Amino acid sequence: MNLLTGLLMINDIDPYVEYGAFLAEDKPGDMKNYSSLLKPSAVKPQKEVSFREQDGAKVPEVIVQQLQPRDVSLQFAIVAADRTEFSKRYSAFLRMLQRGEDGWLDFYFPELKRHFRMFYKEATDYKQLTDFEGEVAGKFYVKFREPQPAF
Protein backbone atom coordinates (compact mmCIF):
# COMPACT_ATOMS: atom_id res chain seq x y z
CA MET A 1 0.00 0.00 0.00
CA ASN A 2 1.31 3.48 -0.91
CA LEU A 3 1.82 6.13 1.80
CA LEU A 4 -0.28 8.61 -0.22
CA THR A 5 -3.32 6.35 -0.39
CA GLY A 6 -6.21 7.21 1.92
CA LEU A 7 -5.01 10.67 3.03
CA LEU A 8 -7.78 12.54 1.22
CA MET A 9 -11.16 11.69 -0.23
CA ILE A 10 -12.99 13.98 -2.65
CA ASN A 11 -16.61 12.96 -3.24
CA ASP A 12 -15.71 9.48 -1.93
CA ILE A 13 -12.84 9.14 -4.44
CA ASP A 14 -9.21 8.81 -3.41
CA PRO A 15 -7.50 11.26 -5.81
CA TYR A 16 -4.17 9.45 -5.55
CA VAL A 17 -5.66 6.11 -6.57
CA GLU A 18 -7.83 7.59 -9.35
CA TYR A 19 -5.62 10.39 -10.73
CA GLY A 20 -2.17 10.11 -9.15
CA ALA A 21 -2.99 13.41 -7.39
CA PHE A 22 -2.14 14.27 -3.81
CA LEU A 23 -1.68 17.31 -1.56
CA ALA A 24 1.89 18.55 -1.93
CA GLU A 25 4.10 20.93 -0.01
CA ASP A 26 7.08 22.92 -1.27
CA LYS A 27 9.53 21.45 1.24
CA PRO A 28 9.55 18.77 3.95
CA GLY A 29 7.85 19.91 7.13
CA ASP A 30 5.65 22.53 5.44
CA MET A 31 1.99 22.45 6.41
CA LYS A 32 0.56 25.12 4.09
CA ASN A 33 -2.34 22.94 2.95
CA TYR A 34 -3.55 22.24 6.48
CA SER A 35 -2.91 25.87 7.45
CA SER A 36 -5.21 26.99 4.65
CA LEU A 37 -7.85 24.42 5.59
CA LEU A 38 -7.80 25.19 9.30
CA LYS A 39 -7.56 28.98 9.12
CA PRO A 40 -10.69 30.37 10.78
CA SER A 41 -13.08 32.41 8.68
CA ALA A 42 -13.43 36.14 9.26
CA VAL A 43 -16.66 37.38 10.80
CA LYS A 44 -19.08 39.60 8.94
CA PRO A 45 -18.79 43.32 9.69
CA GLN A 46 -20.78 44.46 12.71
CA LYS A 47 -23.28 47.27 12.23
CA GLU A 48 -22.26 50.40 14.02
CA VAL A 49 -23.19 54.05 14.04
CA SER A 50 -20.60 56.78 14.46
CA PHE A 51 -21.75 60.19 15.69
CA ARG A 52 -19.40 63.08 15.05
CA GLU A 53 -20.25 64.59 18.43
CA GLN A 54 -19.34 61.40 20.40
CA ASP A 55 -16.21 59.32 20.84
CA GLY A 56 -16.18 55.86 19.32
CA ALA A 57 -19.22 54.22 17.78
CA LYS A 58 -22.54 52.78 18.95
CA VAL A 59 -22.99 49.04 18.50
CA PRO A 60 -25.83 46.70 19.54
CA GLU A 61 -25.87 45.54 23.17
CA VAL A 62 -25.79 41.92 21.96
CA ILE A 63 -23.17 41.16 19.31
CA VAL A 64 -24.08 38.26 17.02
CA GLN A 65 -21.03 37.02 15.12
CA GLN A 66 -21.70 35.43 11.74
CA LEU A 67 -18.95 33.96 9.59
CA GLN A 68 -18.05 35.17 6.11
CA PRO A 69 -17.55 32.64 3.34
CA ARG A 70 -13.89 31.81 2.83
CA ASP A 71 -11.46 30.72 0.16
CA VAL A 72 -9.14 27.76 0.71
CA SER A 73 -6.02 27.26 -1.43
CA LEU A 74 -4.62 23.74 -1.68
CA GLN A 75 -1.51 22.65 -3.57
CA PHE A 76 -1.79 19.39 -5.49
CA ALA A 77 0.80 17.35 -7.32
CA ILE A 78 0.18 14.72 -9.98
CA VAL A 79 2.61 11.97 -10.92
CA ALA A 80 2.42 9.55 -13.82
CA ALA A 81 4.62 6.98 -15.52
CA ASP A 82 4.84 8.97 -18.77
CA ARG A 83 3.61 12.10 -20.56
CA THR A 84 0.50 10.41 -22.02
CA GLU A 85 -0.66 9.13 -18.63
CA PHE A 86 0.18 12.50 -17.03
CA SER A 87 -1.89 14.41 -19.57
CA LYS A 88 -4.87 12.09 -19.05
CA ARG A 89 -4.63 12.23 -15.26
CA TYR A 90 -4.17 16.01 -15.16
CA SER A 91 -7.14 16.67 -17.45
CA ALA A 92 -9.41 14.19 -15.68
CA PHE A 93 -8.51 15.52 -12.22
CA LEU A 94 -9.18 19.15 -13.19
CA ARG A 95 -12.45 18.16 -14.86
CA MET A 96 -13.55 16.35 -11.68
CA LEU A 97 -12.66 19.37 -9.51
CA GLN A 98 -14.37 21.85 -11.83
CA ARG A 99 -17.61 19.91 -12.10
CA GLY A 100 -17.82 18.01 -8.82
CA GLU A 101 -21.09 16.38 -7.85
CA ASP A 102 -23.67 19.01 -8.81
CA GLY A 103 -20.72 21.44 -8.64
CA TRP A 104 -19.99 20.58 -4.99
CA LEU A 105 -16.90 18.87 -3.67
CA ASP A 106 -16.94 17.02 -0.36
CA PHE A 107 -13.36 16.90 0.94
CA TYR A 108 -12.78 14.39 3.70
CA PHE A 109 -9.49 14.33 5.59
CA PRO A 110 -9.27 11.11 7.66
CA GLU A 111 -6.34 12.50 9.67
CA LEU A 112 -8.49 15.47 10.75
CA LYS A 113 -11.75 13.46 10.81
CA ARG A 114 -13.39 16.45 9.06
CA HIS A 115 -15.44 17.17 5.97
CA PHE A 116 -15.25 20.44 4.03
CA ARG A 117 -17.95 21.28 1.47
CA MET A 118 -16.50 23.55 -1.21
CA PHE A 119 -16.58 24.33 -4.91
CA TYR A 120 -13.81 25.01 -7.42
CA LYS A 121 -12.87 28.65 -8.13
CA GLU A 122 -9.59 28.55 -10.05
CA ALA A 123 -6.24 26.84 -10.52
CA THR A 124 -3.02 28.85 -10.36
CA ASP A 125 0.76 28.62 -10.24
CA TYR A 126 1.34 25.45 -12.26
CA LYS A 127 4.93 24.21 -11.98
CA GLN A 128 6.40 21.36 -14.01
CA LEU A 129 8.56 19.25 -11.66
CA THR A 130 10.10 16.93 -14.25
CA ASP A 131 10.62 16.98 -17.98
CA PHE A 132 8.40 14.81 -20.17
CA GLU A 133 10.85 11.89 -20.43
CA GLY A 134 10.10 8.95 -18.13
CA GLU A 135 8.07 9.63 -14.97
CA VAL A 136 6.26 12.99 -15.18
CA ALA A 137 5.20 15.21 -12.27
CA GLY A 138 3.69 18.67 -11.90
CA LYS A 139 2.12 20.69 -9.12
CA PHE A 140 -0.37 23.54 -8.91
CA TYR A 141 -2.58 25.46 -6.51
CA VAL A 142 -6.36 25.24 -6.61
CA LYS A 143 -8.57 27.78 -4.90
CA PHE A 144 -11.90 26.57 -3.51
CA ARG A 145 -14.82 28.51 -2.01
CA GLU A 146 -16.44 27.40 1.23
CA PRO A 147 -19.72 29.37 1.45
CA GLN A 148 -20.66 27.87 4.83
CA PRO A 149 -17.32 27.77 6.68
CA ALA A 150 -16.49 24.82 8.89
CA PHE A 151 -14.48 27.20 11.13
Side-chain angles (χ1 to χ4, degrees):
M1 183 169 154
N2 189 301
L3 290 176
L4 298 172
T5 303
L7 295 178
L8 168 64
M9 300 297 285
I10 304 173
N11 290 352
D12 296 323
I13 295 169
D14 185 325
Y16 184 74
V17 171
E18 190 72 23
Y19 308 104
F22 56 94
L23 289 177
E25 298 290 351
D26 290 326
K27 53 188 171 187
D30 275 357
M31 298 296 271
K32 291 180 183 175
N33 287 308
Y34 277 7
S35 292
S36 184
L37 269 173
L38 297 175
K39 179 183 175 197
S41 179
V43 295
K44 292 181 179 179
Q46 185 61 50
K47 292 192 182 239
E48 54 183 57
V49 178
S50 180
F51 296 99
R52 181 164 170 57
E53 305 80 27
Q54 297 177 2
D55 292 333
K58 297 285 184 191
V59 294
E61 288 297 320
V62 176
I63 304 290
V64 179
Q65 301 282 34
Q66 297 295 329
L67 300 178
Q68 291 186 10
R70 69 184 184 128
D71 291 335
V72 175
S73 292
L74 300 175
Q75 182 173 236
F76 290 95
I78 294 180
V79 294
D82 57 43
R83 76 179 80 176
T84 302
E85 182 182 26
F86 180 83
S87 180
K88 287 179 184 175
R89 285 180 169 187
Y90 180 72
S91 296
F93 183 62
L94 283 177
R95 203 168 30 256
M96 183 273 296
L97 292 178
Q98 291 167 343
R99 294 191 174 78
E101 190 171 302
D102 297 329
W104 289 103
L105 299 166
D106 175 56
F107 287 79
Y108 178 65
F109 294 85
E111 188 173 49
L112 300 174
K113 293 183 175 37
R114 291 205 65 121
H115 288 267
F116 297 86
R117 188 171 188 252
M118 302 183 283
F119 61 86
Y120 174 94
K121 276 187 77 172
E122 66 180 326
T124 62
D125 299 331
Y126 179 86
K127 182 177 182 182
Q128 192 65 36
L129 300 175
T130 65
D131 61 20
F132 285 94
E133 300 297 325
E135 186 174 72
V136 179
K139 67 180 179 178
F140 52 97
Y141 277 94
V142 180
K143 186 183 289 187
F144 301 95
R145 182 71 158 182
E146 187 181 28
Q148 299 291 318
F151 295 105

